[in-house]
Structures are given as structure tokens and as C-alpha cells.
Amino acid sequence: MIDLHCHTNYSDGSDEPLTLLNRAAQLGVQALAITDHDTLEGYDAAWPHARETGFDLLCGVELSTRCAASARSAHLLAYFSSDPGSVFRTWLKTLRDKRLERNAALLRRLHELKINISCEELQAVGKRQIGRPHFAKLMVEKGYVKTPGEAFDRYLCESGLAWVDREEPSLEEAIERVWSAGGIASLAHPVRISRDYGILRKLTAALLPHGLEAIECFHPEHTTPDTHACLEIAADYGLETTGGSDFHGSYKPDIQLATGKDGNIQITLPVLQNLRRRFMKKRQHDSPVAADHAERTCEVRS
Ligand code: AMP
Ligand code: MN
Ligand code: MN
Ligand code: MN
């Protein structure tokens, strides 16, 4: 059992990186990828401990991007077999700056709506990186809403009263940057983009030339038909399959590390072994997969 999608308190999870590693070890999880939103800091903090204890920890990140086809935000998982390097890390810093701008604007918008949350309160909750779940948590604690879900529905979601757009890189740019850093880009929880599998298939085909190499097939929000549709798309386009619980600790208490919601996912070691085989191929040849992509784009009809 492995988990290739989870969050620490370096983004919007509640666990310290070491707590997450210990939790994984206790559950008998064989390998983990920490995939915090737009930051590698949680992974960086966990890595020395993983190396010391021999725990199999993969470097990952979940990027917030803009999908032009759906005119919505889309998440992209990126996995690296070694350090992604300074160009990629510097780019992540620019994403953090955009997030800070968005957070300041969101705070102002909430004040206009008579929801008074201070910067200090936010920093106390989201110590390392503040995201909307931290706003939601405070709104519940201060009695403005009853649940985090209500905070999102009424205020924080894209159609909410306090919605503030965040400048995000395009999905294509993010995929290309992951590719250039030697990583494998995987479309995260694809059904959040659309549950129309035909649309997902077309989108996947359009992303192949940019360097998309995987699709997240196993995710707690996926129904069995969703998983099958994603597996079929992956097989047709020669993509790797990835999966994980999207664990956020106490921020999403119904989701358990590695097993998801009521045990609705189980990801096995061969998923990671396939990813590692692809890393090897990418390193051995200049970019054989890129050539494959071009061929497949022509071969496979959407
Ligand atoms: P941000 O990165 O600050 O834009 O916040 C996005 C995060 O908020 C996502 O990664 C989810 O963890 C969480 N989120 C988004 N929509 C909802 C929702 N409707 N209910 C609960 N959490 C949500
Ligand atoms: Mn999150
Ligand atoms: Mn996500
Ligand atoms: Mn996630």
C-alpha cells in the first residue's frame, strides 16, 4: 500500500511532515509522496528523516493552475526522482508571491462583508502557507459560519461572495515546467475538471505535446466508473497511473492516509515502480517519451 498524494502543514494539511511520516510507517504504508500545494518545503523537512530511517519518500508537489478549456482552476501533481533544481524552485517562489497577494485581497474582501479576521489570526493557523482552508477554519471558530463547507459555499468558492481570483500559471505552462525539471506531471483528480469522460479524453490528448505523462486514476472522490474511465484514458495514451488519498489531516477528517474515504482506495507498489521506470527512461535517453507523445497524439483519435 502506497500514497502518492497528501498534504502537510507546510500547505493546508494539519500534520507536521514528521508526524505524517510516522503515521505512514504505523499504517504500514510502503512509500509516500508529499504533495503540498505549490511548495516543496514539507517534503524538504521530511526528507532527512526519511533518509535516516530508510522510508521511501518521493518528492512531489500539487500545482494550482488555470485550465483554459474549462475556464477553471485545475490541479497538477508533479513527481521528481531527485531534486527538481533551482529553476523550478524559484518558479515556486513566484507562485507563493501570487498567493500572498490573493490572501491580502481576500482578507480585504471579507472585511467589506463584515467578516473580521486579522492577519495575525491567519498566520497563527496557517503557519507556513495560508490557503482558503485556513480562512474557513477561522470563520468557523469565530462563529461566522457553522462548518468549513459553509465557508466555502457562501464565501470562498469560485461563485462565493468573497471570491478573489488568483493569478495562476496555465496548465500547459505548469506541465512544461515539470517536464523541463525532469519530473512527471500527472493530472490530479481529473473528474473535478469534468465528469464528461469525452471532455477529459480530449483535454488529455491536448496536453500530451506539452509533456503530460500521467493521470491520477485513484482518488477518494472518484467513483468506480470514474476510475475506470481514467484508467482507459491512461492506457490509450500510454500514460502512467497515479493515485493517493489527498490526505489533509484534521482539515478533511473523513479522509484517511493511504485508504481514503471508508477505505475506498488502495494503491499498490507497482504504480510507483512504473513511475520509477519512466524516470529511468527519461534519464537514459534525451527525451524518448516526448517523441512517443508526438506519435501517440497522431495515432489516438479522441
Ligand atoms: P487555495 O489553495 O488557498 O486556493 O485553497 C484551495 C484548497 O481549499 C484546496 O486544495 C482544498 O483543500 C480546499 N477546498 C477547495 N474547495 C473546497 C470546498 N468546497 N470545501 C472544502 N475545501 C475546499
Ligand atoms: Mn488542499
Ligand atoms: Mn487538489
Ligand atoms: Mn491535494
Side-chain angles (χ1 to χ4, degrees):
M1 173 169 78
I2 64 167
D3 194 330
L4 301 179
H5 186 165
C6 55
H7 298 268
T8 74
N9 63 356
Y10 280 76
S11 68
D12 58 2
S14 63
D15 275 3
E16 288 283 348
L18 292 198
T19 310
L20 188 66
L21 281 192
N22 288 334
R23 188 191 289 278
Q26 270 165 19
L27 290 170
V29 176
Q30 295 159 287
L32 199 69
I34 290 180
T35 54
D36 277 315
H37 296 288
D38 303 318
T39 178
L40 292 166
E41 289 175 283
Y43 164 80
D44 289 339
W47 169 238
H49 183 72
R51 192 175 42 189
E52 241 169 59
T53 57
F55 187 85
D56 192 357
L57 179 69
L58 187 67
C59 178
V61 62
E62 183 176 23
L63 303 164
S64 295
T65 76
R66 181 87 351 207
C67 173
S70 65
R72 295 180 58 191
S73 194
H75 287 175
L76 182 76
L77 289 158
Y79 299 105
F80 301 92
S81 63
S82 55
D83 197 280
S86 60
V87 173
F88 191 82
R89 283 177 178 273
T90 303
W91 179 61
L92 290 183
K93 287 205 184 93
T94 69
L95 302 182
R96 187 185 56 193
D97 293 344
K98 305 255 166 61
R99 176 181 289 274
L100 290 174
E101 282 169 28
R102 188 283 310 262
N103 286 349
L106 179 50
L107 217 45
R108 286 196 295 274
R109 180 73 192 121
L110 286 170
H111 283 182
E112 282 167 16
L113 295 165
K114 309 271 182 272
I115 294 181
N116 292 311
I117 289 174
S118 71
C119 234
E120 292 71 28
E121 285 171 320
L122 262 180
Q123 271 156 4
V125 184
K127 294 182 189 73
R128 278 118 179 183
Q129 177 178 266
I130 295 162
R132 284 179 289 158
H134 303 116
F135 283 84
K137 187 169 193 245
L138 272 178
M139 287 163 77
V140 174
E141 280 175 15
K142 298 189 83 176
Y144 292 112
V145 287
K146 291 206 167 58
T147 62
E150 189 188 342
F152 270 93
D153 290 347
R154 288 182 63 188
Y155 298 102
L156 304 174
C157 72
E158 287 198 26
S159 54
L161 289 170
W163 171 250
V164 177
D165 218 355
R166 173 151 60 105
E167 208 186 310
E168 292 167 325
S170 71
L171 186 49
E172 291 82 358
E173 179 190 351
I175 291 171
E176 286 167 11
R177 284 187 180 271
V178 173
W179 171 270
S180 301
I184 291 178
S186 180
L187 203 57
H189 37 64
V191 300
R192 273 205 212 156
I193 299 173
S194 173
R195 267 212 160 82
D196 179 327
Y197 304 144
I199 289 179
L200 281 184
R201 181 171 281 274
K202 273 202 184 120
L203 175 66
T204 304
L207 295 174
L208 294 179
H210 297 277
L212 184 74
E213 295 189 75
I215 179 162
E216 189 176 49
C217 298
F218 312 105
H219 186 276
E221 286 169 32
H222 283 194
T223 63
T224 304
D226 292 342
T227 300
H228 285 156
C230 291
L231 286 171
E232 213 173 290
I233 293 171
D236 288 348
Y237 291 107
L239 298 174
E240 303 304 331
T241 62
T242 69
S245 64
D246 210 351
F247 181 72
H248 283 70
S250 62
Y251 284 98
K252 294 189 180 174
D254 55 336
I255 300 293
Q256 302 306 314
L257 189 66
T259 51
K261 191 171 184 184
D262 301 323
N264 68 348
I265 56 159
Q266 199 190 23
I267 299 127
T268 56
L269 204 51
V271 169
L272 178 57
Q273 288 164 341
N274 288 339
L275 273 189
R276 291 209 160 117
R277 256 193 290 275
R278 190 175 281 246
F279 280 132
M280 296 257 288
K281 268 201 212 163
K282 281 157 74 78
R283 269 203 305 269
Q284 275 164 6
H285 313 288
D286 214 358
S287 59
V289 192
D292 270 350
H293 278 151
E295 272 172 36
R296 263 185 248 122
T297 314
C298 301
E299 275 169 22
V300 183
R301 282 164 297 278
S302 54

